Amino acid sequence: METYIAFLRAINVGGRTVKMDRLRELFAELGLEGVRTYIQSGNVFFRTAETDREALVARIEAGLEAGLGYPVPVVLRTVGEVEAVLAAEPFAGVEPGEDKRLFVLFLSEPLPAEVRAELPVVSPKGDWEMIGATPGEAFVVMHLRNGRLNGNPATAFPKSYRGQATSRFLHTTGKIVAAARKG
């Protein structure tokens, strides 16, 4: 059985509040095993023998929409896949600070090669830099302005990109992997 991390987009933001026990119930009702959550931002760990990731994502998204009443995009990664992202040190040489945060954007569809070839990309206002990417992740440095994060790095994606992205702080991503391994 494989252990997956489901990164859910737009959980507990914008007035869509979901208690973690309810989220665990919804995943368990789908027949997924060992369901656990990490913090309130939509990180769910589970085990399954199912190998068709596309079908698994579709089933989870349908179950969440039926249970919550609105669509919730899901990006799935195995624990090993997230560990490989972290081991590659995508932010080598970049230090977070008072005015700088490091984010991993987990993508539901591969980022087009032409976007990856143009990296790094800096937003017109200088509020973010996309410094690198793999087909499934983008690595973004966000610059705080007046103590706030502004801008949307997904604007660097072409309009033809049909995938979804959900972001996590780099340090939180490491904690998510550690918590997933504990199970």
Side-chain angles (χ1 to χ4, degrees), residues 106-182:
F106 291 97
L107 310 172
S108 65
E109 299 291 328
L111 191 60
E114 65 269 14
V115 174
R116 293 192 321 268
E118 294 176 9
L119 297 176
V121 174
V122 179
S123 72
K125 293 181 180 179
D127 45 8
W128 58 261
E129 302 169 66
M130 189 176 300
I131 64 169
T134 65
E137 291 82 26
F139 309 108
V140 176
V141 177
M142 296 289 293
H143 300 279
L144 278 71
R145 302 284 189 246
N146 299 319
R148 301 185 71 130
L149 294 172
N150 296 303
N152 180 0
T155 58
F157 303 169
K159 291 187 189 311
S160 61
Y161 182 71
R162 297 293 176 227
Q164 298 281 338
T166 186
S167 64
R168 300 296 185 273
F169 287 117
L170 176 65
H171 68 276
T172 302
T173 303
K175 291 176 181 180
I176 290 168
V177 168
R181 278 282 178 221
K182 285 184 181 176

Side-chain angles (χ1 to χ4, degrees), residues 28-154:
E29 288 170 5
L30 295 170
L32 304 171
E33 298 182 28
V35 177
R36 295 177 296 122
T37 55
Y38 180 77
I39 63 177
Q40 300 290 317
S41 60
N43 307 294
V44 183
F45 319 129
F46 64 90
R47 292 186 313 276
T48 184
E50 191 169 337
T51 58
D52 184 339
R53 192 177 304 204
E54 192 173 307
L56 185 56
V57 167
R59 189 161 62 93
I60 293 169
E61 287 180 340
L64 291 174
E65 185 166 5
L68 300 174
Y70 53 85
V72 177
V74 175
V75 178
L76 282 185
R77 296 291 186 271
T78 66
V79 172
E81 288 168 342
V82 180
E83 286 175 329
V85 166
L86 295 174
E89 298 184 16
F91 293 97
V94 180
E95 290 295 323
E98 283 280 319
D99 63 341
K100 191 185 315 179
R101 303 291 187 274
L102 310 181
F103 283 88
V104 178
L105 273 65
F106 291 97
L107 310 172
S108 65
E109 299 291 328
L111 191 60
E114 65 269 14
V115 174
R116 293 192 321 268
E118 294 176 9
L119 297 176
V121 174
V122 179
S123 72
K125 293 181 180 179
D127 45 8
W128 58 261
E129 302 169 66
M130 189 176 300
I131 64 169
T134 65
E137 291 82 26
F139 309 108
V140 176
V141 177
M142 296 289 293
H143 300 279
L144 278 71
R145 302 284 189 246
N146 299 319
R148 301 185 71 130
L149 294 172
N150 296 303
N152 180 0

